[in-house]
Amino acid sequence: MNKFIIAIMFIGFFSCNESQLKELNFYGEKITSNNISDFAKVKNLTENQAEVETKIEGTILSTCPKKGCWMQVKVQEDTILVRFKDYGFFVPKSGAENKRVIMQGQAKQDTISVELLRHYAEDAGKPLQEIEKITEPEYNISFLADGVIIN
């Protein structure tokens, strides 16, 4: 009887872990959810360094609806633009909004040109009048991800 109970517990343990893994979607380099950095510290580091190798988490606000080649992610009080290393992988074009994301890669202070901002607005399906209102570059933190976990 004890062996039967132990076997049931053993099967239950592994089936829970398997279902948890099914909820995770990996893109790019396979990464873990360990050692996530505090974004406030990363943000401070980017002021003094060209790039900061890090792992951060946030909430997906939107993804590129044409290819899935970028994401807008809310990280604490900031919204950051996330692109993918060497254009080597993409995330879902829809359905990822409001999901938790863990990203590993390089954070840096960045200037996003008017041309690129207009390109992203066009990808997102914004109306022409809104695209034409983009006349100034943006200065913020951008992220070049090696790997991403969405759940």
Side-chain angles (χ1 to χ4, degrees), residues 12-98:
F13 173 76
F14 282 105
S15 66
C16 287
N17 284 343
E18 186 176 310
S19 67
Q20 289 172 344
L21 286 176
K22 287 180 184 174
E23 295 175 14
L24 299 178
N25 294 297
F26 296 88
Y27 303 91
E29 187 178 304
K30 190 127 184 190
I31 63 171
T32 68
S33 59
N34 301 334
N35 303 319
I36 295 172
S37 299
D38 177 53
F39 184 68
K41 291 178 183 175
V42 171
K43 190 174 177 179
N44 285 338
L45 286 171
T46 63
E47 292 175 5
N48 300 318
Q49 298 176 9
E51 293 181 348
V52 177
E53 183 70 32
T54 189
K55 187 184 297 180
I56 57 176
E57 71 177 311
T59 302
I60 298 172
L61 298 174
S62 62
T63 61
C64 172
K66 286 193 174 187
K67 291 184 180 179
C69 58
W70 53 261
M71 298 185 294
Q72 290 284 341
V73 176
K74 183 79 168 174
V75 181
Q76 294 177 359
E77 300 302 315
D78 290 276
T79 299
I80 62 173
L81 175 65
V82 180
R83 292 174 273 201
F84 309 112
K85 185 177 181 182
D86 298 327
Y87 211 59
F89 63 96
F90 304 107
V91 295
K93 298 183 283 186
S94 64
E97 297 81 9
N98 299 313

Side-chain angles (χ1 to χ4, degrees), residues 82-117:
V82 180
R83 292 174 273 201
F84 309 112
K85 185 177 181 182
D86 298 327
Y87 211 59
F89 63 96
F90 304 107
V91 295
K93 298 183 283 186
S94 64
E97 297 81 9
N98 299 313
K99 291 191 177 181
R100 179 175 171 251
V101 62
I102 298 170
M103 307 164 293
Q104 180 174 295
Q106 300 81 38
K108 68 176 185 174
Q109 291 286 337
D110 200 4
T111 302
I112 304 173
S113 70
V114 171
E115 179 182 48
L116 195 52
L117 288 169

